[in-house]
Amino acid sequence: MTRVHLAQLLRRPLVGGDGEVVGRLSDVIVRLRGRDYPLVTGLVAKVGGREVFVPAEQVADLDEGKITLSSPRVDLRHFERRAREVLLRADVLGHRVIDVADVELVRAYDIELERRPDGWALTCLDTRRPPRLRGFPGGRAAHPDWRDWKSFEPLIGHARSAGVRGPFARLGRLKPADLADLLEDANRTESHEILQTVHADPELEADVFEELEPDSQTRLLRERSDAEIAQVIARMRADDAADAINDLPQSRRQPVLDALPAGQRTKVLTLMGFNPSSAGGLMALDVLTMTGSSTVAAALRAAGEARALQPEALTSVYLVGEAQRLRGVVTLVELLQADPVARLDDVADRDPVRAGPDTDVEDVALLMTDYNLLTVPVVDDEHRIVGVITVDDVLDVVIPEDWRRREPAPHPAHHVEEPGPGGSPHDRPPGS
């Protein structure tokens, strides 16, 4: 046979060249190989109540009825798992994996192995729940949903295998909101493994924590030390960082604040002084401001160089006068369409819509709706600009909780990443 399925292989007899039964299959060992399909390196066989290792070189054939060995002699030393080994029954079969295309956790109900030029390899997973598990025993059998292994990221749950897995490259290409959704659905073991991967990119880790629901964010942060929490919060937007610290237990807030870099700590403390549901509590403190005598070209250049500002706050340039008093606003689109040598005073709206720090977020939402705005500047009693509130922050507060929890829109049809040598193994009708 060129393809076999693990669910049918398990507990099948291992037969030596002389026809004698040596033992029964307990597990299959593979080595992950990055973009290539995992290669079978050996079997775990149960021989007389003892689990022993059988190297792949000793396996003459895999068949769903029996496994044929080239020699009846096996090493009877008790099998001990090595750091770079992945066990398909123990680690993958029946466990959840990450469906990268649909950004969801799905369960592997069966595993397909295929004979390839370099040996037996794991090529496909069946993620369709068998009918008997749906409570309909004896019903019409459904076709398996065999999909390419490269569509998934495994969650092995074995710390000593981390070295062989390496960075989860496909997860790194997901949006922070997608990774946050995975964490919302993950159990504790799964979430720890996902976070361990995300932790390799500190900026991505901070973005993911910003996207988490407050309860999940607090739960995952509380499992870290004060210093580790501060490392994440230091890279978050100041308004999100302030919310995260406010949601921590009272006893942990000050130690985390003390561990923050001075600049971030100052911003967070400023925002924590406002009601979280007010414009002041939601605003970003970093704003791109220029004087009215500056040119359009200079403003565009400044916007291009403002890499430290959140992109959502860079839709407009704010004109300020003495003591940072707000004098006008001009959008980036208007700048792009204006004469590069024109003065900002000549192209700006000199009576911009604004809000005070204590303005309710619902009122800010109405301002944005009435005036078709993406950002609203926040000014103090002296009309000095102190921050800017963005439409994404407003939506985050005003969208009802039941809307957040409804089922997301369906994803497009499955896609498979670039196939390995010989093409994609699942380009065939289901169940074939």
Side-chain angles (χ1 to χ4, degrees), residues 220-233:
L220 293 171
L221 285 176
R222 288 175 67 170
E223 296 178 355
R224 302 187 175 200
S225 69
D226 295 337
E228 290 170 335
I229 295 174
Q231 287 175 355
V232 175
I233 288 180

Side-chain angles (χ1 to χ4, degrees), residues 208-224:
V208 170
F209 269 94
E210 288 178 354
E211 298 291 343
L212 286 169
E213 292 294 327
D215 289 347
S216 297
Q217 182 190 83
T218 302
R219 172 177 54 82
L220 293 171
L221 285 176
R222 288 175 67 170
E223 296 178 355
R224 302 187 175 200

Side-chain angles (χ1 to χ4, degrees), residues 406-421:
R406 69 179 182 177
E407 287 295 318
H411 287 264
H414 296 305
H415 74 275
V416 179
E417 295 193 11
E418 64 279 0

Side-chain angles (χ1 to χ4, degrees), residues 98 153-156 165-173 193-194 197:
I98 298 173
E153 283 288 1
L155 294 171
I156 307 276
R165 283 174 279 163
F168 290 7
R170 286 179 288 244
L171 291 193
R173 292 198 292 271
E193 188 146 359
I194 295 171
T197 303

Side-chain angles (χ1 to χ4, degrees), residues 40-324:
V40 173
T41 58
L43 310 178
V44 180
K46 184 161 286 189
V47 179
R50 175 192 296 262
E51 287 192 333
V52 302
F53 173 70
V54 179
E57 295 77 14
Q58 195 176 339
V59 180
D61 192 26
L62 288 178
D63 188 281
E64 292 179 356
K66 65 180 180 180
I67 295 99
T68 305
L69 304 181
S70 58
S71 166
R73 305 183 68 175
V74 296
D75 187 338
L76 294 178
R77 287 179 295 179
H78 184 75
F79 167 72
E80 292 186 4
R81 178 173 178 166
R82 298 176 180 174
R84 300 178 65 84
E85 292 177 338
V86 174
L87 307 182
L88 295 187
R89 179 186 64 80
D91 300 333
V92 182
L93 187 65
H95 295 266
R96 296 204 295 180
V97 295
I98 298 173
D99 181 337
V100 179
D102 281 355
V103 194
E104 63 179 346
L105 289 161
V106 297
R107 199 168 300 279
Y109 290 104
D110 206 349
I111 297 170
E112 185 170 272
L113 302 174
E114 180 179 329
R115 191 197 297 273
R116 299 173 72 84
D118 52 352
W120 287 91
L122 190 174
T123 54
C124 289
L125 295 181
D126 175 16
T127 59
R128 178 170 297 173
R129 185 190 297 268
R132 66 180 181 277
L133 297 182
R134 293 194 184 105
F136 299 104
R140 183 174 61 87
H143 285 302
D145 183 20
W146 291 113
R147 293 179 53 209
D148 195 306
W149 166 260
K150 295 179 182 180
S151 297
F152 306 96
E153 283 288 1
L155 294 171
I156 307 276
H158 182 243
R160 295 175 63 209
S161 297
V164 73
R165 283 174 279 163
F168 290 7
R170 286 179 288 244
L171 291 193
R173 292 198 292 271
L174 295 180
K175 294 179 172 58
D178 293 332
L179 290 167
D181 287 341
L182 289 175
L183 287 167
E184 298 280 355
D185 186 40
N187 61 35
R188 184 175 182 180
T189 300
E190 293 165 344
S191 64
H192 283 183
E193 188 146 359
I194 295 171
L195 284 174
Q196 181 182 8
T197 303
V198 173
H199 185 66
D201 184 341
E203 296 298 333
L204 175 61
E205 181 181 37
D207 291 342
V208 170
F209 269 94
E210 288 178 354
E211 298 291 343
L212 286 169
E213 292 294 327
D215 289 347
S216 297
Q217 182 190 83
T218 302
R219 172 177 54 82
L220 293 171
L221 285 176
R222 288 175 67 170
E223 296 178 355
R224 302 187 175 200
S225 69
D226 295 337
E228 290 170 335
I229 295 174
Q231 287 175 355
V232 175
I233 288 180
R235 291 182 171 86
M236 292 170 66
R237 288 168 24 181
D239 54 331
D240 290 314
D243 291 339
I245 292 178
N246 272 325
D247 289 335
L248 290 174
Q250 179 70 40
S251 61
R252 303 199 66 183
R253 294 176 193 170
Q254 193 59 51
V256 171
L257 281 168
D258 292 341
L260 289 176
Q264 179 76 331
R265 181 168 61 248
T266 299
K267 293 178 182 179
V268 169
L269 286 171
T270 298
L271 293 170
M272 289 176 70
F274 296 105
N275 186 319
S277 62
S278 69
L282 293 176
M283 67 183 177
L285 297 175
D286 296 320
V287 187
L288 181 56
T289 61
M290 301 193 75
T291 62
S293 60
S294 302
T295 64
V296 166
L300 286 172
R301 185 165 56 252
E305 295 172 352
R307 293 179 177 84
L309 273 67
Q310 66 182 86
E312 296 84 359
L314 271 176
T315 60
S316 300
V317 176
Y318 294 95
L319 277 61
V320 294
E322 184 180 355
Q324 288 292 101

